[in-house]
Amino acid sequence: MDRQTLVSSTSGNSINSPPPEDAWLNTYLNLLPQWQSLSSSAIQAVIPIEISRVNQVDAGRLDIEMSAMLKEQLVKVFSLMKPGMLFHYEPELDAFLEFLIWRFSIWVDKPTPGNALMNLRYRDERAVEARGKVRTGLEGPGLTVSQKIWYCIATVGGQYIWARLQSFSAFRRWGDTEQRSLARRSWFLLQRIEGFYKAASFGNLLVFLLTGRYRSLIERVLQARLVYGSPNMNRAVSFEYMNRQLVWNEFSEMLLLLLPLLNSSSVKNFLRPFSKDKSSKSEGDEALCPICQSTPTTPFLALPCQHRYCYYCLRTRCSATLAFRCSRCSEPVVAMQRNGGSVNSITR
């Protein structure tokens, strides 16, 4: 009995005894690798965020409109010079404007006017793929110096050289020369290059609509992707211009529908009391035909108001309108009388 009591007391003391001093340290060291793996995987988890395709396309259209506005203002500056002078230097003018936009936007790590309005900026996709730590569409460095220079060469220089080649070949008529000449072979080469570029652009457009990355071939080759520049953006769309356009279209359609149904003479008679020169009529105006505004060659009187008309003017109006009213007094015309002759009834 004493032995059992001693065993039970010994086991109870072992259960209630405190753990060793290094137990917490050993547990921490055992769980530390698992915690680091979980934290690193959580940090490197990629949150897929798609860049709106509509915003990218709208940004390109806005850049084109901005270039067109600058070109219009520049043309107005040279409006007093010799006519047609700027026509010969139009490619140089377009290249100069494109260079200005590139110099003050992409070269200084700023978005173009269209990209700024759509909250977009260029990002070097090669650096992002190498790091592999992108969680949203905001991280990542901008374009490198080499990417910026190649972008300028492709957009500004490439478009200028191609425009000049096309104008020069069309002016020299390379396509109309002999079949074995160098000019005609160069013409065919230009046509094939243009066709290949259009086909590649169309293929890139299909890929862009599918993936939402790289809206142009230049961006795909340089791996310059458009991403969001700011996490917060208020997209304020103004429908004021659209509302005015819709109202004007409806109003014009209503006028086109109603104006043929109105008699012009009745409208004139309705507006005649509000005319500013109604008190400036002279007796000579009463002698003129109110329809053709000339001296009646064969004068007839409209009855019962007895205003003078040309026979042809009065007869055609009375035949065309069932209830013709006098253009001067708006009184219904029931008959017509030759000046100094007998009364003729109006038959319709």
Side-chain angles (χ1 to χ4, degrees):
M1 186 71 180
D2 296 337
R3 185 178 180 182
Q4 292 180 355
T5 304
L6 180 61
V7 171
S8 61
S9 62
T10 305
S11 62
N13 292 332
S14 63
I15 293 174
N16 297 327
S17 63
E21 295 181 358
D22 57 347
W24 296 104
L25 180 61
N26 294 333
T27 305
Y28 171 75
L29 295 177
N30 292 332
L31 297 178
L32 181 60
Q34 300 179 4
W35 173 256
Q36 289 178 350
S37 62
L38 291 175
S39 60
S40 62
S41 62
I43 293 175
Q44 295 179 359
V46 177
I47 301 176
I49 295 181
E50 294 185 358
I51 310 301
S52 175
R53 298 168 178 81
V54 177
N55 286 8
Q56 299 183 55
V57 176
D58 288 346
R61 296 301 306 173
L62 289 173
D63 287 335
I64 294 175
E65 294 295 333
M66 178 64 67
S67 179
M69 291 174 59
L70 293 176
K71 183 179 179 180
E72 182 181 359
Q73 297 299 325
L74 193 59
V75 168
K76 289 182 179 179
V77 174
F78 297 96
S79 60
L80 299 179
M81 300 183 66
K82 183 179 179 181
M85 188 190 69
L86 290 180
F87 176 76
H88 300 285
Y89 302 98
E90 187 173 0
E92 286 79 7
L93 181 61
D94 294 337
F96 175 70
L97 295 177
E98 293 294 335
F99 176 79
L100 287 180
I101 296 176
W102 171 85
R103 172 61 180 82
F104 294 102
S105 59
I106 298 177
W107 178 250
V108 293
D109 293 327
K110 292 183 179 180
T112 61
N115 293 341
L117 291 175
M118 293 293 107
N119 189 27
L120 297 174
R121 69 176 181 89
Y122 278 115
R123 183 180 70 183
D124 186 7
E125 200 69 10
R126 297 175 301 178
V128 171
E129 294 176 355
R131 295 180 181 180
K133 296 182 180 179
V134 176
R135 301 183 61 199
T136 65
L138 302 178
E139 293 88 350
L143 301 181
T144 61
V145 177
S146 60
Q147 285 178 318
K148 297 175 184 178
I149 295 176
W150 280 111
Y151 186 91
C152 178
I153 293 174
T155 55
V156 181
Q159 293 180 3
Y160 169 71
I161 293 174
W162 184 254
R164 271 304 178 190
L165 278 176
Q166 284 188 331
S167 61
F168 183 77
S169 60
F171 179 75
R172 296 291 182 177
R173 297 182 179 180
W174 285 1
D176 299 338
T177 56
E178 298 179 0
Q179 296 182 357
R180 297 182 179 180
S181 63
L182 179 61
R184 189 169 183 83
R185 284 181 290 180
S186 301
W187 173 262
F188 283 142
L189 179 62
L190 290 177
Q191 296 299 319
R192 291 180 181 179
I193 293 175
E194 184 178 5
F196 177 77
Y197 179 78
K198 290 181 178 180
S201 300
F202 180 72
N204 180 80
L205 176 61
L206 296 179
V207 176
F208 168 73
L209 294 177
L210 180 63
T211 62
R213 302 173 61 180
Y214 308 119
R215 62 183 178 182
S216 64
L217 286 175
I218 299 174
E219 295 177 357
R220 185 171 296 276
V221 172
L222 298 177
Q223 293 189 5
R225 186 185 178 186
L226 285 173
V227 296
Y228 292 126
S230 175
N232 301 319
M233 177 184 178
N234 296 327
R235 187 179 177 88
V237 181
S238 177
F239 296 98
E240 183 179 359
Y241 173 76
M242 187 181 296
N243 293 335
R244 290 200 304 265
Q245 193 70 14
L246 290 175
V247 171
W248 174 250
N249 289 338
E250 295 297 331
F251 181 70
S252 60
E253 290 181 1
M254 182 186 67
L255 290 180
L256 292 176
L257 178 64
L258 295 180
L259 284 179
L261 303 179
L262 299 177
N263 189 1
S264 59
S265 60
S266 61
V267 175
K268 291 180 180 179
N269 293 329
F270 176 76
L271 298 177
R272 191 180 302 277
F274 304 98
S275 178
K276 295 182 180 180
D277 56 348
K278 61 181 181 179
S279 60
S280 61
K281 293 182 180 179
S282 59
E283 296 181 356
D285 295 335
E286 297 290 340
L288 300 178
C289 175
I291 298 177
C292 63
Q293 296 297 323
S294 61
T295 303
T297 53
T298 306
F300 266 72
L301 301 179
L303 299 180
C305 61
Q306 295 187 355
H307 287 123
R308 298 180 60 185
Y309 287 84
C310 296
Y311 171 76
Y312 177 77
C313 296
L314 183 59
R315 188 65 184 178
T316 52
R317 291 301 177 91
C318 292
S319 301
T321 307
L322 296 178
F324 175 70
R325 294 177 176 271
C326 179
S327 301
R328 294 192 184 276
C329 60
S330 299
E331 189 174 352
V333 178
V334 297
M336 51 188 301
Q337 178 185 4
R338 187 181 180 90
N339 193 9
S342 59
V343 177
N344 297 333
S345 62
I346 300 174
T347 58
R348 297 181 176 85

